[in-house]
Amino acid sequence: VQLQAYGGGLVQAGASLRLSCAASGRSFSSYAMGWFRQTPGKEREFVAAMSVSGIVQKYEDSVKGRFTISRDNAKSTVYLQMNSLTPEDTAVYYCARRAYGLDYENIRDYDSWGQGTQVTVSS
């Protein structure tokens, strides 16, 4: 599968952005999907994930109540709605497909990654 993330940009603190990640291939609806982010010099960190059905959603503590993950299986696309952005949210955001394991937050459970989209939040 190929994943392509887009929708990043430069915004002011308090603004909103919606990231999208389009997947190629026919198996999108069979996999849980996640979003991660990375800043220079730091490890890639978990942001949010959603189960195949969409019933299970997991969020990193600092984004709970501000970010919402969703998916449209008909469009093979996963979204990340980001509200009330802060400068601490500045990072490259990656979408990923979770292929195995039981822990949505475990980066090692993800086997396919998009190229990343830059989100920059100014104060």
Side-chain angles (χ1 to χ4, degrees), residues 18-108:
R18 187 176 82 155
L19 305 183
S20 302
C21 175
S24 64
R26 302 180 181 179
S27 61
F28 176 83
S29 61
S30 300
Y31 293 90
M33 298 294 295
W35 287 94
F36 290 74
R37 64 187 179 186
Q38 188 170 23
T39 55
K42 294 187 177 181
E43 294 186 352
R44 196 169 296 185
E45 66 174 6
F46 171 78
V47 176
M50 173 172 275
S51 63
V52 169
S53 66
I55 292 175
V56 177
Q57 298 178 29
K58 300 288 186 181
Y59 296 95
E60 191 270 329
D61 285 345
S62 70
V63 308
K64 285 180 180 177
R66 301 188 298 121
F67 290 13
T68 303
I69 187 171
S70 61
R71 65 189 296 162
D72 185 336
N73 288 337
K75 295 183 178 179
S76 296
T77 302
V78 61
Y79 305 96
L80 186 67
Q81 177 67 43
M82 305 186 296
N83 299 328
S84 302
L85 286 162
T86 74
E88 289 68 38
D89 296 317
T90 295
V92 177
Y93 284 72
Y94 298 88
C95 60
R97 184 183 77 170
R98 191 171 79 98
Y100 23 68
L102 300 176
D103 184 359
Y104 285 91
E105 301 180 23
N106 188 345
I107 194 171
R108 293 183 292 273

